[in-house]
Every structure is written in structure tokens, then in C-alpha cells.
Amino acid sequence: MVKEAEVVMKYISTRGRSPALNFEQVLLTGLAPDGGLYVPEVLPQFNQQEIADWAGLSYPELAFKIISPFINGEIADADLRHLIEKSYSGFSHKAIAPLRMLANNEWVLELYCGPTLAFKDFALQLLGNLLDHVLTRNNQKVVILGATSGDTGSAALEGCRHSSHVDIFILHPYQRVSEVQRRQMTTVPGENVYNLAVKGNFDDCQRMVKTAFSDQSFLPAGRQLVAVNSINWARIMAQIVYYFYASLNLGGPSRQVSFSVPTGNFGDIYAGYLARKMGLPIKQLIVATNRNDILHRLISTNEYSLGELTPTLSPSMDIMVSSNFERYLFDLFERDGKAVANFIAGLDAAPQQLSTSQMKKLQQEFSSYSVDDSRTCEVIKQIFNETEFLIDPHTAVGIEAARVCNVDHTVPMITLATAHPVKFTEAVEKAGLQSPELPMHMSDLFEREERCSILENDISAVTSFIRKHL
Ligand SMILES: *Cc1c(COP(=O)(O)O)cnc(C)c1O
């Protein structure tokens, strides 16, 4: 293969007013200074023959093929291979991302075999290893700061805690995460690990994180904040891999496949969109949402408007404004950063609309559906009755959306199973089924010692806590 050495991978902001960065810089930051998100200036492209030649590769081998063009030699190939290998070595299934058949041409991709039982491990295990590698090389220490409504926190702590070059602070809304989710965070050992329960909701936590990133003067000299939320480009990059992997295991690329993706912040499905743009033949990409359906309303009726955030049985998708949707809008607005910024800023004042041609493109690229809690429980029960396979509520939303939106039953339809049902027992019980047991490596979760600090809903409480503990 000819190495396209002349192409230097650069990352640019979706708002168009920040300098371009290289991979290492983009890894070690959060939002761009202009408030945008970083995206690659040019996407790597793979032709059908190249993709076909990857059939039979193991997950880490395939991950190397897909990820290395994004890193563009900033990490030596041998080191990168090792970091990828290490990131997926702790998964409990040899396939890393096993496919399970539900019915004829109906599949789920089980993305919850990592240490914290949700798909976020795919990105955060790798992010932790990439950070440690780069920081060790630079002899640099950073502060990781993130907000979580549940799954990101534990995955980030598991992924990053082994690095002596990071201190990690994770904010979660006090008493608003499930007990399993809380214990998965608060029982993580390590002198560099801090859980902060904020007396507010998830939006309060996320806002404080953003404020802290925009003014980092509270940090000691030489320290900087690094994001572990999906605003960090490296998380998106890692997630592109399993779209290729699933396709290759079902006859791709000579055969198309479709994906239904339970969607919150739009990170996961955006990775699928990129996989398609990089050359993977994908028929449908389905945005599956719960009652918090701003994206479904936009895709189906061209209305982009804020609503009341409703708590649901699939809480990891209880998000009003999906941050990564901005990365897609950047393409939809033909990379006009100013137009993206205006569209997003306008949302606070009034509902926004896309032009006719933009709507046409959006609907060509995505289908969408919104599933309420009672239907979610029915689907959990139905799948269990049909196959004896217990799914979590996020996956149930995905499966229902897949069934409703499917336009071609000759194409394999793959729903991404984003979490293990043990994390969301309320939905399982409401479906009239018995909660599953904790997997072996977590069986003593309820006996482990918890460590957590409860803080007022106040940014200065958070920044002074961080400063005191560095
Ligand atoms: C984070 C999460 C989602 C939503 O993923 P996005 O990338 O934010 O769209 C869906 N399901 C589960 C279980 C999650 O943890």
C-alpha cells in the first residue's frame, strides 16, 4: 500500500475560528477556543478492495488499520498496535464486539463486554492508554475533568486511573444516578481518582465542566484540562472501528448492512456516519431516541427546538442538545463554521429550521424514530420471550426503531447493544423479568468501599476542590 505521506492529518474546529491542531494536541484538549468541536480536515478513504482484504482480522488488528491514518505517525506503529491491543485485552468476550442473531437478518452488536459493561469502554480504554503514552513521552501531567449521567464516569475512571500522569475528577448529579452506576464510580481505587456528587442535575454538571474548560486559571501553572466526554475526538475515532467489524463479519463490504443506534449525544451514530464516508457500504443509519426526541423531530419534521427534558428508563439518552450533532451540522452546512455557530446559537431563542436541500440530505443520510418507556419495556419482554436474550432499555429503543424504520429486509439490520441489562434493572423489572446477576468481576460491587465528595451546585466549590487536591 502506498502511504499517503503528503497528507498531514489536521483537525479543525466546527466554528471555523480556531487554529488547526495535530492529533496529539486534539487528544489533549476539549472544546476548541471558539466553542466548536474538532473534526479531521480530510477523512481517510478506504476503497472496497482494501476493506475486503481486512476480512478475518481480529478486532485489534482491524482497529489499527482504521485508527492509524488519524494518528498519522505521531505515535509509532508498533506502539500504537500495542496500545490498541492493551485497550481491548480486558474485554470478557474473545470477539470483543460479538454479533448475536435475533431473527432473520436481524442482529445486535454486543458492545458491553468491556470492564464497565457499556459501549463507552471501547473509546475510553483506548483514550486512557493513548493519553498515558503521550503524557509519559512529554513528561507532562494533566487534569481530566468530566461530567456523567452514568456510564461515561465509570468508563473514564477505568480507562484512565492507571496513568500516573493524570488526576481525574468526575462530576455526577447527586442521587440521580442508579446505585450500580454510582458504585461503579465510587469504588474505583486510586489516589488520583475523585468522584464529586453535585447537588444539581446533569445539565448543571455539564455546564460547570464547560465553564472550567473556558477559564482554566484555577489550575496550578503547567497543568491543563483534558476532556473525557465525547467532545474529545479520540472517542469518536475509536468507535468507527466496530461499524467496519460488524460489516466485515456479515459479508461486507460487498454486501450492505444497516445500523440502528441508540442515540444521546450523537457520538456513537456520528462514528457510523464517518464509517460510511470513509467507504463502508451502509444502507441505513437509524437515530433511535427515547422521549427526548429533538433529533427525531428534526429529521422527521424539520423542527429543531428545545423541549422539556424528561427522565426515562433509558437515562443515558436523556439529553436535550446532542453535542456531537454539531460535527454533523458542520458537513451539512458545507463546512461553514459561522453558519453552524448561528444555527446553534439561534436554538436558545427560537426553533430552528434547515433549508429544503439540507433536509433532503439529512433524510437521505439518517432515518429516525422515538420510543416511549412502555414500548421499551414491551420490547425487552418480547425479545426475551422470543430468544431468551435479555437486553437493556437503550438496546430495546434501538431494536424497536430498527423494526419501524427498516426499508429493505434483504439487508442485515444491526442494532448496537450499548449496555448490559444489569446496569438498568428498573426497566428489566418493569418489563416483568428478573434482574440479571452482576458479572463475576463485579460480583462484590455492593461490598466495596465507596469514596465520593458531595459538593454544592456552585462552580467555585468545584474549582477549589480540584485545586486543593492536586
Ligand atoms: C452514552 C450512551 C448512549 C448514547 O450514546 P451517544 O454517543 O451519546 O449518542 C446510549 N446508550 C448507552 C447505554 C450509553 O451509555
Side-chain angles (χ1 to χ4, degrees), residues 398-441:
I399 289 173
E400 176 70 356
R403 289 178 170 177
V404 172
C405 297
N406 194 340
V407 295
D408 185 347
H409 291 267
T410 67
V411 173
M413 173 62 77
I414 306 160
T415 295
L416 303 194
T418 49
H420 190 291
V422 78
K423 294 189 99 168
F424 301 99
T425 52
E426 190 188 349
V428 173
E429 281 157 18
K430 283 210 165 119
L433 299 171
Q434 212 179 339
S435 298
E437 303 222 328
L438 287 165
M440 212 127 65
H441 76 275

Side-chain angles (χ1 to χ4, degrees), residues 117-120 149-152 181 230 235-236 239 261-270 314-317 319 322 324 392 394-395 416-420 423-424:
L117 311 180
F119 82 91
K120 296 197 166 68
S149 58
D151 298 326
T152 299
Q181 287 180 321
S230 55
R235 279 190 57 182
I236 306 290
Q239 290 171 220
V261 187
T263 299
N265 249 330
F266 206 78
D268 206 358
I269 191 155
Y270 178 69
S314 44
S316 303
M317 308 197 294
I319 287 170
S322 308
N324 287 290
D392 99 293
H394 304 81
T395 307
L416 303 194
T418 49
H420 190 291
K423 294 189 99 168
F424 301 99

Side-chain angles (χ1 to χ4, degrees), residues 60-271:
E61 287 165 347
L62 180 66
F64 175 79
K65 299 280 185 198
I66 292 164
I67 289 171
S68 57
F70 288 107
I71 292 176
N72 200 39
E74 289 178 49
I75 295 173
D77 284 357
D79 290 338
L80 182 59
R81 277 182 206 278
H82 171 72
L83 295 171
I84 291 171
E85 189 74 46
K86 191 166 147 197
S87 299
Y88 300 105
S89 63
F91 279 51
S92 62
H93 196 296
K94 199 159 178 257
I96 311 300
L99 278 159
R100 180 190 289 257
M101 194 173 186
L102 294 182
N104 189 41
N105 262 344
E106 189 179 27
W107 299 82
V108 294
L109 184 65
E110 294 180 27
L111 298 177
Y112 49 74
C113 303
T116 72
L117 311 180
F119 82 91
K120 296 197 166 68
D121 288 324
F122 276 83
L124 284 160
Q125 286 290 311
L126 183 64
L127 178 64
N129 286 320
L130 289 170
L131 280 175
D132 187 54
H133 179 82
V134 164
L135 294 170
T136 304
R137 185 166 77 185
N138 296 355
N139 191 22
Q140 184 184 0
K141 276 195 90 168
V142 297
V143 177
I144 291 176
L145 177 62
T148 185
S149 58
D151 298 326
T152 299
S154 54
L157 293 172
E158 272 306 326
C160 302
R161 69 186 170 103
H162 299 290
S163 176
S164 56
H165 296 268
V166 304
D167 290 293
I168 318 171
F169 297 83
I170 299 291
L171 276 53
H172 72 262
Y174 180 54
Q175 290 183 339
R176 296 198 199 194
V177 297
S178 80
E179 187 171 6
V180 170
Q181 287 180 321
R182 189 192 72 235
R183 286 182 172 272
Q184 278 188 303
M185 295 190 278
T186 58
T187 61
V188 170
E191 292 299 302
N192 58 343
V193 164
Y194 302 93
N195 280 287
L196 308 181
V198 173
K199 289 185 181 167
N201 61 26
F202 173 64
D203 284 337
D204 296 323
C205 295
Q206 194 154 38
R207 204 168 327 115
M208 286 199 250
V209 167
K210 277 197 170 170
T211 309
F213 268 89
S214 65
D215 179 5
Q216 303 188 15
S217 59
F218 67 94
L219 293 174
R223 293 288 192 101
Q224 70 187 63
L225 294 178
V226 170
V228 284
N229 289 97
S230 55
I231 54 175
N232 192 311
W233 164 257
R235 279 190 57 182
I236 306 290
M237 174 186 80
Q239 290 171 220
I240 299 169
V241 177
Y242 47 71
Y243 288 89
F244 280 87
Y245 187 68
S247 161
L248 282 162
N249 279 284
L250 288 178
S254 58
R255 187 186 188 201
Q256 285 193 311
V257 294
S258 291
F259 291 97
S260 176
V261 187
T263 299
N265 249 330
F266 206 78
D268 206 358
I269 191 155
Y270 178 69

